[in-house]
Amino acid sequence: MSSSRIAKAFQNGKAFIAFLTGGDPTLAKSEEFIYEMIAGGADLIEIGVPFSDPIAEGEVIQRANLRALQAGATLPKLFDLVARVRQKSEIPLVFLTYLNPVFRYGYAAFFQKCREVGLDGVIIPDLPAEEQEEACVFARQEGVDVISLIAPTSAARVRKIAESATGFLYVVSSMGVTGVRGEISTNLAPMLQLARSVSGIPVAIGFGIGTPAQAHAMAQLADGAIVGSALVRLVEQHGEAAGAHLRRFVAEMKAAVSGGDESAAQVS
Amino acid sequence: MSKGRYGTFGGQYIPETLMNEIHALEEAYAKYKDDPDFNAELDTLLREYAGRPSLLYYAEKMTAALGGAKVYLKREDLNHTGSHKINNVLGQALLAKRMGKRRIIAETGAGQHGVATATAAALLDLECEIFMGREDTERQVLNVYRMELLGATVHPVDSGTKTLKDAVNETMREWVARTADTHYLLGSVMGPHPFPLIVRDFQSVISKEAREQILQLEGKLPAAVLACVGGGSNAMGMFFNFIPDAGVRLIGCEAAGLGVETPQNAATIANGSLGVFHGMKSYFCQDDQGQIAPVYSISAGLDYPGIGPEHAWLHDSGRAEYVPVTDEEAVAAFEFLAQTEGIICAIESAHAVAYARKLVPQIPKGESVILCLSGRGDKDVAAIARYRGVQVHE
């Protein structure tokens, strides 16, 4: 059983998926920022669970993890945050978390808590397909999606990954860690085509997207675009006053992913 | 359960971007590990370049001082580049070349693995980039320069605790960005499968030689073998061929820093708990939220919050014992070995010397004990002087 809320995120035209690190700069501010991003038109919110050693993150999100940990963000507090947001909004919510905090919480307790608070899915960057089952057996019981990732190096693995994927497929745009890139040069079309031939679930592209033009181009290839570092950078720049900036930027990005083909030529 | 398991430990917990490359490494290793040409080339390098076999030295004065079993030192410190690290580095560098890589990247703590990697890169015409915690680059200034002399680029790492764990993070980040021409030459029996297996196999030459040498010298197996443990590569190498010999105690000596009861230690078996980090399921020093703990040891090479998965399994199965050794005990052992045997060993290895001083008097004189002297201590002299409050100019 897959989350119906995640499916809905992709029913409002191309989806814009917005990331922020939970608890950066404070838990209360994160909650406010989530409402601002919803107001800006985000279709799905990805909340990063801060971790001491985020090996898939670039410097911007590394620093956000540090700020959040210093402000006292923990997994239990982020579950409380999700519960509060859920009382006010039906927006799909997923965690981006490294495996160890989940493992320490306990898989059974973790996914039960996800269901209780209304968290729809989890992205775990250090849990590849080969290792997923130890967590997925509990996730399935609770109807929580463990989102599968596809990377530029996944050509030989796409079929297997897509077959068992639930929620949406997270396509990593390029090699490397998270962070805004000047250009995204990976030829993603063949990979996306293969994924779609195997799985009917939506596909979203993330990593490196920082401008409306990039978001637009990625949304032409997929069902949605995921943006993290560009939003987190706004939090870093504006601190507690980032809310209005986030809303404006999300609105701009949502318009870009929703827009027609005409602006795509600028970025290819 | 996935591949590369030791009981529940091990696995391949890494980003999807690296999975294809890790599988390519598994395939390459499976292809070459029994390949006669590959092994002939490696054997030649180990013999003629690294100086193997390493001596098994009877430490007569240390034995007399301790008044128990005969103490033998497996002299990995006499290898080229001054530590056991060269055993694994030469193997992996040859493998990387067979895989068509032209660039190697590696983490280093004390700098021993970095120096060995930079050395192999110079010899085998590979580009080399080393990631080293900023704090370690300051603790081991000479090793940084040594690596640069050998043609490597050294990147100081400023994230996190600025030590070995963060160097591993940064090397993984670099590998995620560039796999096509780059091999991550991981330095210990840790990380995702197949690294714990590959590194153990290349380091097992230590116990293969030591077992033959002790049988020749003593006509029987030792009562115990000892080695220091951070990630655990010299210990796995020292233990491996003795694992089937049930009568031989296998003892790993962990860095207890200022003491296992203080927050300033790196004793993973004593203080860690089960977790998943750096690609493997194993024991880690961590808090109750699963955040990896900032660990501490005077020894940069043991200053790591985890332990290789095969060690975790050897511990749980009861086959090996792991004991904590403090900074103070290690420094005293460093001085003891220098003064009794005229050998300045690495501060890492001194952790095993320290425990030998407690253990050996309890083992009867007719028995023997082998201690793996994993590295030489030139790199540590300045730090020991600082520890003792002595001013020296490097």
Side-chain angles (χ1 to χ4, degrees), chain B residues 245-271:
Chain B
D245 302 320
V248 180
R249 288 171 67 186
L250 312 176
I251 304 172
C253 306
E254 297 193 302
L258 302 185
V260 284
E261 69 291 346
T262 74
Q264 266 86 43
N265 73 83
T268 308
I269 293 289
N271 280 341

PDB file of all heavy atoms in Angstrom, chain B residues 245-271:
ATOM      1  N   ASP B 245      42.927 -21.658  14.655  1.00  0.00           N
ATOM      2  CA  ASP B 245      43.709 -22.230  15.758  1.00  0.00           C
ATOM      3  C   ASP B 245      43.072 -21.844  17.089  1.00  0.00           C
ATOM      4  O   ASP B 245      43.441 -20.838  17.710  1.00  0.00           O
ATOM      5  CB  ASP B 245      45.153 -21.706  15.708  1.00  0.00           C
ATOM      6  CG  ASP B 245      45.843 -22.033  14.387  1.00  0.00           C
ATOM      7  OD1 ASP B 245      45.642 -23.154  13.871  1.00  0.00           O
ATOM      8  OD2 ASP B 245      46.566 -21.159  13.860  1.00  0.00           O
ATOM      9  N   ALA B 246      42.124 -22.658  17.530  1.00  0.00           N
ATOM     10  CA  ALA B 246      41.287 -22.277  18.674  1.00  0.00           C
ATOM     11  C   ALA B 246      42.088 -21.961  19.933  1.00  0.00           C
ATOM     12  O   ALA B 246      41.642 -21.186  20.778  1.00  0.00           O
ATOM     13  CB  ALA B 246      40.268 -23.375  18.956  1.00  0.00           C
ATOM     14  N   GLY B 247      43.306 -22.528  20.058  1.00  0.00           N
ATOM     15  CA  GLY B 247      44.098 -22.304  21.267  1.00  0.00           C
ATOM     16  C   GLY B 247      44.823 -20.968  21.281  1.00  0.00           C
ATOM     17  O   GLY B 247      45.405 -20.587  22.307  1.00  0.00           O
ATOM     18  N   VAL B 248      44.803 -20.251  20.177  1.00  0.00           N
ATOM     19  CA  VAL B 248      45.523 -18.966  20.107  1.00  0.00           C
ATOM     20  C   VAL B 248      44.554 -17.831  20.424  1.00  0.00           C
ATOM     21  O   VAL B 248      43.567 -17.621  19.715  1.00  0.00           O
ATOM     22  CB  VAL B 248      46.137 -18.755  18.698  1.00  0.00           C
ATOM     23  CG1 VAL B 248      46.875 -17.410  18.644  1.00  0.00           C
ATOM     24  CG2 VAL B 248      47.067 -19.897  18.327  1.00  0.00           C
ATOM     25  N   ARG B 249      44.827 -17.121  21.497  1.00  0.00           N
ATOM     26  CA  ARG B 249      43.967 -15.968  21.826  1.00  0.00           C
ATOM     27  C   ARG B 249      44.245 -14.828  20.855  1.00  0.00           C
ATOM     28  O   ARG B 249      45.405 -14.527  20.563  1.00  0.00           O
ATOM     29  CB  ARG B 249      44.234 -15.499  23.263  1.00  0.00           C
ATOM     30  CG  ARG B 249      43.689 -16.451  24.321  1.00  0.00           C
ATOM     31  CD  ARG B 249      44.165 -16.058  25.703  1.00  0.00           C
ATOM     32  NE  ARG B 249      43.591 -14.771  26.149  1.00  0.00           N
ATOM     33  CZ  ARG B 249      43.949 -14.162  27.284  1.00  0.00           C
ATOM     34  NH1 ARG B 249      44.879 -14.700  28.068  1.00  0.00           N
ATOM     35  NH2 ARG B 249      43.386 -13.015  27.631  1.00  0.00           N
ATOM     36  N   LEU B 250      43.188 -14.201  20.384  1.00  0.00           N
ATOM     37  CA  LEU B 250      43.309 -13.054  19.480  1.00  0.00           C
ATOM     38  C   LEU B 250      42.881 -11.816  20.261  1.00  0.00           C
ATOM     39  O   LEU B 250      41.746 -11.755  20.740  1.00  0.00           O
ATOM     40  CB  LEU B 250      42.401 -13.230  18.254  1.00  0.00           C
ATOM     41  CG  LEU B 250      42.476 -14.578  17.537  1.00  0.00           C
ATOM     42  CD1 LEU B 250      41.447 -14.644  16.404  1.00  0.00           C
ATOM     43  CD2 LEU B 250      43.881 -14.816  16.985  1.00  0.00           C
ATOM     44  N   ILE B 251      43.779 -10.862  20.410  1.00  0.00           N
ATOM     45  CA  ILE B 251      43.485  -9.720  21.276  1.00  0.00           C
ATOM     46  C   ILE B 251      43.694  -8.402  20.537  1.00  0.00           C
ATOM     47  O   ILE B 251      44.792  -8.094  20.077  1.00  0.00           O
ATOM     48  CB  ILE B 251      44.363  -9.758  22.549  1.00  0.00           C
ATOM     49  CG1 ILE B 251      44.154 -11.092  23.285  1.00  0.00           C
ATOM     50  CG2 ILE B 251      44.022  -8.575  23.466  1.00  0.00           C
ATOM     51  CD1 ILE B 251      45.097 -11.320  24.451  1.00  0.00           C
ATOM     52  N   GLY B 252      42.622  -7.642  20.417  1.00  0.00           N
ATOM     53  CA  GLY B 252      42.679  -6.328  19.776  1.00  0.00           C
ATOM     54  C   GLY B 252      42.718  -5.247  20.850  1.00  0.00           C
ATOM     55  O   GLY B 252      41.957  -5.293  21.814  1.00  0.00           O
ATOM     56  N   CYS B 253      43.611  -4.264  20.661  1.00  0.00           N
ATOM     57  CA  CYS B 253      43.786  -3.221  21.672  1.00  0.00           C
ATOM     58  C   CYS B 253      43.227  -1.903  21.135  1.00  0.00           C
ATOM     59  O   CYS B 253      43.748  -1.331  20.181  1.00  0.00           O
ATOM     60  CB  CYS B 253      45.267  -3.088  22.016  1.00  0.00           C
ATOM     61  SG  CYS B 253      45.980  -4.687  22.518  1.00  0.00           S
ATOM     62  N   GLU B 254      42.155  -1.441  21.745  1.00  0.00           N
ATOM     63  CA  GLU B 254      41.459  -0.242  21.295  1.00  0.00           C
ATOM     64  C   GLU B 254      41.997   0.999  21.992  1.00  0.00           C
ATOM     65  O   GLU B 254      42.499   0.918  23.115  1.00  0.00           O
ATOM     66  CB  GLU B 254      39.977  -0.318  21.670  1.00  0.00           C
ATOM     67  CG  GLU B 254      39.208  -1.421  21.042  1.00  0.00           C
ATOM     68  CD  GLU B 254      37.719  -1.192  21.252  1.00  0.00           C
ATOM     69  OE1 GLU B 254      37.259  -1.089  22.405  1.00  0.00           O
ATOM     70  OE2 GLU B 254      37.022  -1.112  20.246  1.00  0.00           O
ATOM     71  N   ALA B 255      41.780   2.165  21.353  1.00  0.00           N
ATOM     72  CA  ALA B 255      42.250   3.422  21.925  1.00  0.00           C
ATOM     73  C   ALA B 255      41.230   3.950  22.927  1.00  0.00           C
ATOM     74  O   ALA B 255      40.131   4.344  22.546  1.00  0.00           O
ATOM     75  CB  ALA B 255      42.474   4.447  20.822  1.00  0.00           C
ATOM     76  N   ALA B 256      41.610   3.953  24.210  1.00  0.00           N
ATOM     77  CA  ALA B 256      40.705   4.440  25.247  1.00  0.00           C
ATOM     78  C   ALA B 256      40.949   5.901  25.586  1.00  0.00           C
ATOM     79  O   ALA B 256      40.319   6.434  26.504  1.00  0.00           O
ATOM     80  CB  ALA B 256      40.834   3.579  26.502  1.00  0.00           C
ATOM     81  N   GLY B 257      41.853   6.565  24.858  1.00  0.00           N
ATOM     82  CA  GLY B 257      42.068   8.002  25.059  1.00  0.00           C
ATOM     83  C   GLY B 257      42.324   8.343  26.516  1.00  0.00           C
ATOM     84  O   GLY B 257      43.223   7.805  27.149  1.00  0.00           O
ATOM     85  N   LEU B 258      41.484   9.229  27.050  1.00  0.00           N
ATOM     86  CA  LEU B 258      41.643   9.625  28.460  1.00  0.00           C
ATOM     87  C   LEU B 258      40.979   8.626  29.403  1.00  0.00           C
ATOM     88  O   LEU B 258      41.019   8.793  30.622  1.00  0.00           O
ATOM     89  CB  LEU B 258      41.060  11.023  28.675  1.00  0.00           C
ATOM     90  CG  LEU B 258      41.669  12.140  27.820  1.00  0.00           C
ATOM     91  CD1 LEU B 258      41.106  13.499  28.207  1.00  0.00           C
ATOM     92  CD2 LEU B 258      43.203  12.153  27.901  1.00  0.00           C
ATOM     93  N   GLY B 259      40.351   7.582  28.842  1.00  0.00           N
ATOM     94  CA  GLY B 259      39.723   6.545  29.670  1.00  0.00           C
ATOM     95  C   GLY B 259      38.350   6.190  29.123  1.00  0.00           C
ATOM     96  O   GLY B 259      37.632   7.075  28.647  1.00  0.00           O
ATOM     97  N   VAL B 260      37.976   4.904  29.201  1.00  0.00           N
ATOM     98  CA  VAL B 260      36.681   4.499  28.638  1.00  0.00           C
ATOM     99  C   VAL B 260      35.507   5.129  29.376  1.00  0.00           C
ATOM    100  O   VAL B 260      34.414   5.242  28.831  1.00  0.00           O
ATOM    101  CB  VAL B 260      36.486   2.959  28.626  1.00  0.00           C
ATOM    102  CG1 VAL B 260      37.290   2.323  27.521  1.00  0.00           C
ATOM    103  CG2 VAL B 260      36.809   2.342  29.967  1.00  0.00           C
ATOM    104  N   GLU B 261      35.745   5.558  30.617  1.00  0.00           N
ATOM    105  CA  GLU B 261      34.658   6.161  31.386  1.00  0.00           C
ATOM    106  C   GLU B 261      34.512   7.656  31.098  1.00  0.00           C
ATOM    107  O   GLU B 261      33.570   8.287  31.546  1.00  0.00           O
ATOM    108  CB  GLU B 261      34.860   5.887  32.887  1.00  0.00           C
ATOM    109  CG  GLU B 261      36.038   6.607  33.560  1.00  0.00           C
ATOM    110  CD  GLU B 261      37.422   6.119  33.105  1.00  0.00           C
ATOM    111  OE1 GLU B 261      37.516   5.059  32.464  1.00  0.00           O
ATOM    112  OE2 GLU B 261      38.419   6.814  33.391  1.00  0.00           O
ATOM    113  N   THR B 262      35.445   8.205  30.309  1.00  0.00           N
ATOM    114  CA  THR B 262      35.356   9.624  29.926  1.00  0.00           C
ATOM    115  C   THR B 262      34.759   9.728  28.518  1.00  0.00           C
ATOM    116  O   THR B 262      34.709   8.740  27.798  1.00  0.00           O
ATOM    117  CB  THR B 262      36.756  10.282  29.904  1.00  0.00           C
ATOM    118  OG1 THR B 262      37.455   9.823  28.729  1.00  0.00           O
ATOM    119  CG2 THR B 262      37.573   9.927  31.130  1.00  0.00           C
ATOM    120  N   PRO B 263      34.345  10.943  28.120  1.00  0.00           N
ATOM    121  CA  PRO B 263      33.870  11.081  26.723  1.00  0.00           C
ATOM    122  C   PRO B 263      35.027  11.078  25.723  1.00  0.00           C
ATOM    123  O   PRO B 263      34.806  10.939  24.538  1.00  0.00           O
ATOM    124  CB  PRO B 263      33.170  12.447  26.717  1.00  0.00           C
ATOM    125  CG  PRO B 263      33.167  12.934  28.128  1.00  0.00           C
ATOM    126  CD  PRO B 263      34.201  12.171  28.885  1.00  0.00           C
ATOM    127  N   GLN B 264      36.256  11.256  26.205  1.00  0.00           N
ATOM    128  CA  GLN B 264      37.404  11.367  25.303  1.00  0.00           C
ATOM    129  C   GLN B 264      38.053  10.009  25.057  1.00  0.00           C
ATOM    130  O   GLN B 264      39.110   9.700  25.609  1.00  0.00           O
ATOM    131  CB  GLN B 264      38.442  12.328  25.874  1.00  0.00           C
ATOM    132  CG  GLN B 264      38.300  13.747  25.388  1.00  0.00           C
ATOM    133  CD  GLN B 264      37.319  14.535  26.203  1.00  0.00           C
ATOM    134  OE1 GLN B 264      37.317  14.432  27.419  1.00  0.00           O
ATOM    135  NE2 GLN B 264      36.482  15.313  25.541  1.00  0.00           N
ATOM    136  N   ASN B 265      37.395   9.175  24.229  1.00  0.00           N
ATOM    137  CA  ASN B 265      38.012   7.902  23.878  1.00  0.00           C
ATOM    138  C   ASN B 265      37.507   7.456  22.521  1.00  0.00           C
ATOM    139  O   ASN B 265      36.607   8.063  21.946  1.00  0.00           O
ATOM    140  CB  ASN B 265      37.721   6.845  24.963  1.00  0.00           C
ATOM    141  CG  ASN B 265      36.288   6.363  24.931  1.00  0.00           C
ATOM    142  OD1 ASN B 265      35.935   5.481  24.146  1.00  0.00           O
ATOM    143  ND2 ASN B 265      35.442   6.955  25.756  1.00  0.00           N
ATOM    144  N   ALA B 266      38.129   6.396  21.999  1.00  0.00           N
ATOM    145  CA  ALA B 266      37.725   5.864  20.693  1.00  0.00           C
ATOM    146  C   ALA B 266      37.576   4.343  20.792  1.00  0.00           C
ATOM    147  O   ALA B 266      37.857   3.618  19.852  1.00  0.00           O
ATOM    148  CB  ALA B 266      38.742   6.250  19.626  1.00  0.00           C
ATOM    149  N   ALA B 267      37.134   3.878  21.970  1.00  0.00           N
ATOM    150  CA  ALA B 267      37.046   2.437  22.226  1.00  0.00           C
ATOM    151  C   ALA B 267      35.676   1.917  21.793  1.00  0.00           C
ATOM    152  O   ALA B 267      34.717   1.901  22.556  1.00  0.00           O
ATOM    153  CB  ALA B 267      37.304   2.159  23.708  1.00  0.00           C
ATOM    154  N   THR B 268      35.611   1.498  20.546  1.00  0.00           N
ATOM    155  CA  THR B 268      34.334   1.157  19.926  1.00  0.00           C
ATOM    156  C   THR B 268      33.682  -0.083  20.530  1.00  0.00           C
ATOM    157  O   THR B 268      32.470  -0.125  20.718  1.00  0.00           O
ATOM    158  CB  THR B 268      34.550   0.929  18.417  1.00  0.00           C
ATOM    159  OG1 THR B 268      35.238   2.050  17.883  1.00  0.00           O
ATOM    160  CG2 THR B 268      33.235   0.754  17.706  1.00  0.00           C
ATOM    161  N   ILE B 269      34.487  -1.102  20.808  1.00  0.00           N
ATOM    162  CA  ILE B 269      33.890  -2.319  21.376  1.00  0.00           C
ATOM    163  C   ILE B 269      33.469  -2.052  22.821  1.00  0.00           C
ATOM    164  O   ILE B 269      32.388  -2.462  23.249  1.00  0.00           O
ATOM    165  CB  ILE B 269      34.877  -3.512  21.290  1.00  0.00           C
ATOM    166  CG1 ILE B 269      35.114  -3.893  19.809  1.00  0.00           C
ATOM    167  CG2 ILE B 269      34.370  -4.698  22.099  1.00  0.00           C
ATOM    168  CD1 ILE B 269      33.961  -4.561  19.096  1.00  0.00           C
ATOM    169  N   ALA B 270      34.292  -1.322  23.563  1.00  0.00           N
ATOM    170  CA  ALA B 270      33.959  -1.034  24.962  1.00  0.00           C
ATOM    171  C   ALA B 270      32.728  -0.134  25.070  1.00  0.00           C
ATOM    172  O   ALA B 270      31.866  -0.347  25.918  1.00  0.00           O
ATOM    173  CB  ALA B 270      35.155  -0.381  25.661  1.00  0.00           C
ATOM    174  N   ASN B 271      32.629   0.863  24.195  1.00  0.00           N
ATOM    175  CA  ASN B 271      31.596   1.888  24.376  1.00  0.00           C
ATOM    176  C   ASN B 271      30.594   2.004  23.238  1.00  0.00           C
ATOM    177  O   ASN B 271      29.632   2.750  23.348  1.00  0.00           O
ATOM    178  CB  ASN B 271      32.270   3.269  24.524  1.00  0.00           C
ATOM    179  CG  ASN B 271      32.804   3.487  25.920  1.00  0.00           C
ATOM    180  OD1 ASN B 271      32.385   2.802  26.848  1.00  0.00           O
ATOM    181  ND2 ASN B 271      33.725   4.404  26.071  1.00  0.00           N
TER     182      ASN B 271
END
